């Protein structure tokens, strides 16, 4: 008896144990996208009926609480995924008709940085309703949406969902909510289909590839994007980009879709079309769609309007009802007068427009007496708290693919975005070739091969930094969007590191081949022979290590700066010390390493510190020389050169270079550890930059 019942109205206790899932061989088949293929088990144990979750993607819930295993009592409601629920009774499990959840706001107040911005908002938002939030700038419309999204708790009052406080069931609530920030967060080099495909693979990890493709096709059709599905995002109009942003959030089929100023920057025609499409989504899915807007021109399209007015620098509800009532209140006024009225706080709610069964509108009288002024607001809740926890904890509320699958997704997407940028690909190919030629023609008579090797080391460090220094800051908004949908930071950084390491490996092969081939034709026979005797594998391996060091430094800068311009401006300050704090730049390369000098192998330098009497002449160096020698230990170029050329020094073993190899490895580990530490520390400040 496999797969015989779909959405069975009754699961008899006599049939236990049974498996519940989206497809056979489960006995109870629930064909819903939020139900996993093998979702849960219903069984008897010690005379009790038990529900056991089977690591489902959207979870198993008992009375709105997500559970792994629970002994059931008569009257318990068991929900599989986000939509299908049964009530447990004495004779079995009875299917409950889907009852969409409504959101209730009770005297909600929102503060930011100690200042109360919104106060006394009381309303009820029902499923299948298209709601617009209107009002002047700076009254907290965006903060109200973000609070509805579950990102921040309200400063005052409470928000209820399905009759329970949102923050008592936040993990479950976030599964039902989609939030679209004001700024479009898309990968411009990819097509609409590719953007949605990568998003579906992250947001619907337990769905089969066929189901993911079907979900993508469905949102493309609903948002009327089919004619443009294979266009790169760069070729889309503003209205089409907005639709793609909304489509990404609709992939999971949320019950609540929140959009922050989605019509900003759109002409009246595109604005009307976009709102019509959202209205259609509302009707088709019984989705609650709430958006903020400054435009009064299109408010006739909404089912319901929430209008904020300014009162003592605080936003309060001036109107809550259908557009028709607002038209009567502001009859004969143009948009400028309309907003002037709201700015001055002259607008008041019209009691005659209240729905008979609806909640009260405007500021509750009993709340006004004890409402604090902006100066008295006692805490800051409407911004991302300091530390790693906020973003990381929000990401953990999402059930996501395994780390290996996320890593593969990031690698594939990163490769796709790079390969579509022809100018970037051309520069990545030309840079090692042109810089290699510069080394060949500038080092035509160096006297020894050290300067040639040194400049290849500096170029490897440069390539590592230059390849990645703009990448993280450029994709910061996309990262935060995906992070809040469950992307793990380890997968993101690991994928980026893997892609750019592969690119660097190819670049260094090109550089090394050109330098060896060109120098052999320009140098005299003695130096050419020295160059040939230098192992190409050791040379390439050393270059690869310092490339990874440079890449780590570039990622660190990209993590810490706010703009691409700042990241690029940092490059000269990072590369010049690698060049100037060296034996080549100071002229010490002409002094044999068997003589006292700076920039020697690490073991020799440490030995001179431990046994100063054996190398008293070392102290003949100037104070500046000793300082430069010490600081150069922080530069990748110093041990990078020494581990490749492997100098032989009297009274020291042949494997002296191992100390320099360890030196590079320590610098490499320290750099990438700093990247991970700073990335996790600073990611909490990024949601505000991305509009979350």
């Amino acid at each position: 008896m496999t797969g015989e019942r779909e959405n069975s109205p009754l699961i008899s206790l006599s049939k236990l144990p049974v498996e519940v899932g989206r497809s056979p061989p489960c006995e109870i088949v629930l064909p819903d996208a939020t139900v996993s293929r093998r979702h849960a088990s219903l069984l008897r144990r010690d005379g009790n009926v038990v529900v056991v979750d089977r690591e489902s993607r959207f979870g198993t819930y008992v009375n709105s609480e997500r559970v792994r295993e629970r002994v059931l009592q008569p009257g318990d409601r068991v929900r599989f995924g986000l939509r299908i629920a049964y009530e447990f009774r004495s004779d079995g499990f009875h299917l409950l008709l889907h009852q969409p959840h409504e959101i209730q706001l009770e005297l909600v107040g929102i503060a930011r940085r100690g200042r109360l911005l919104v106060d006394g908002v009381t309303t009820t938002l029902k499923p299948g309703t298209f709601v617009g939030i209107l009002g002047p700038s700076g009254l907290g419309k965006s903060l109200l949406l973000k609070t509805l999204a579950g990102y921040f708790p309200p400063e005052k009052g409470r928000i209820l969902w399905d009759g329970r406080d949102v923050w008592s069931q936040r993990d479950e609530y976030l599964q039902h909510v989609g939030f679209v920030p004001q700024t479009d967060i898309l990968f411009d080099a990819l097509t609409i289909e590719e953007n949605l495909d990568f998003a579906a693979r992250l947001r619907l990890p337990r769905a089969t590839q066929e189901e993911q493709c079907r979900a993508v096709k469905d949102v493309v059709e609903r948002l009327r994007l089919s004619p443009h599905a294979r266009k790169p995002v760069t070729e889309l109009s503003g209205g089409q980009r907005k639709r793609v942003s909304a489509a990404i959030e609709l992939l999971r089929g949320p019950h609540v879709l929140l959009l922050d100023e989605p019509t900003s920057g759109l002409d009246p025609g595109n604005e009307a079309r976009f709102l019509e499409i959202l209205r259609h989504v509302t009707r088709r899915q019984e989705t609650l769609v709430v958006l903020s807007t400054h435009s009064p021109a299109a408010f006739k399209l909404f089912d319901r309007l929430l209008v904020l007015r300014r009162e003592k620098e605080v936003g309060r509800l001036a109107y809550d009802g259908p557009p028709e009532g607002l038209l009567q209140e502001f009859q004969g006024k143009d948009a400028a007068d309309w907003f002037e009225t709201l700015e001055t706080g002259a607008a008041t709610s019209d009691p005659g427009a209240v729905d008979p069964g609806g909640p009260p509108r405007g500021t509750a009288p009993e709340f006004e007496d004890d409402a604090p002024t902006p100066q008295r607001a006692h805490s800051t809740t409407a911004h991302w708290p300091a530390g790693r926890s906020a973003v990381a904890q929000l990401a953990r509320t999402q059930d996501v693919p395994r780390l290996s699958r996320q890593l593969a997704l990031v690698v594939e997407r990163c490769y796709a975005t790079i390969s579509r940028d022809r100018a970037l690909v051309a520069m990545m190919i030309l840079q090692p070739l042109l810089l290699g030629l510069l080394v060949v023609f500038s080092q035509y008579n160096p006297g020894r091969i050290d300067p040639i090797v040194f400049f290849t080391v500096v170029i490897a460090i440069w390539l590592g930094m230059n390849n990645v220094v703009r990448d993280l800051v450029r994709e910061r908004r996309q990262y935060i969007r995906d992070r809040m949908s469950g992307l793990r930071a380890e997968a993101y950084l690991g994928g980026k590191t893997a892609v750019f390491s592969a690119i660097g490996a190819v670049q260094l092969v090109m550089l090394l081949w050109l330098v060896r081939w060109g120098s052999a034709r320009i140098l005299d026979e003695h130096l050419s022979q020295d160059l040939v005797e230098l192992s190409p594998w050791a040379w390439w391996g050393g270059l690869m290590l310092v490339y990874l060091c440079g890449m780590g430094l570039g990622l660190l800068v990209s993590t810490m700066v706010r703009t691409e311009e700042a990241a690029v401006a940092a490059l000269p300050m990072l590369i010049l010390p690698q060049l100037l704090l060296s034996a080549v730049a100071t002229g010490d390369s002409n002094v044999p390493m068997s003589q006292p000098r700076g920039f020697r192998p690490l073991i020799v330098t440490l030995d001179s510190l431990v046994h100063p009497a054996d190398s008293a002449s070392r102290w003949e160096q100037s104070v500046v020389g000793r300082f430069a020698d010490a600081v150069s230990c922080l530069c990748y170029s110093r041990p990078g050169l020494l581990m490749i050329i492997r100098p032989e020094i009297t009274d020291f073993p042949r494997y002296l270079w191992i100390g320099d190899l360890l030196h590079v490895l320590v610098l490499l580990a320290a750099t990438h550890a700093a990247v991970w530490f700073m990335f996790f520390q600073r990611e909490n400040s990024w949601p505000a930059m991305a509009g979350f």
Side-chain angles (χ1 to χ4, degrees), residues 439 443 446-457 584 589-590 641 645:
V439 171
Q443 301 301 307
R448 53 195 303 172
I449 65 170
D450 294 18
I452 297 174
V453 177
F454 172 75
F455 284 117
T456 62
V457 168
V584 172
S589 60
N590 293 321
L641 169 66
I645 62 175

Side-chain angles (χ1 to χ4, degrees), residues 263 266-277 298 301:
T263 59
L266 300 185
D267 60 70
N270 274 321
E271 179 183 18
R273 278 191 291 273
F274 182 59
L275 293 179
E276 283 284 4
I277 290 171
L301 294 172

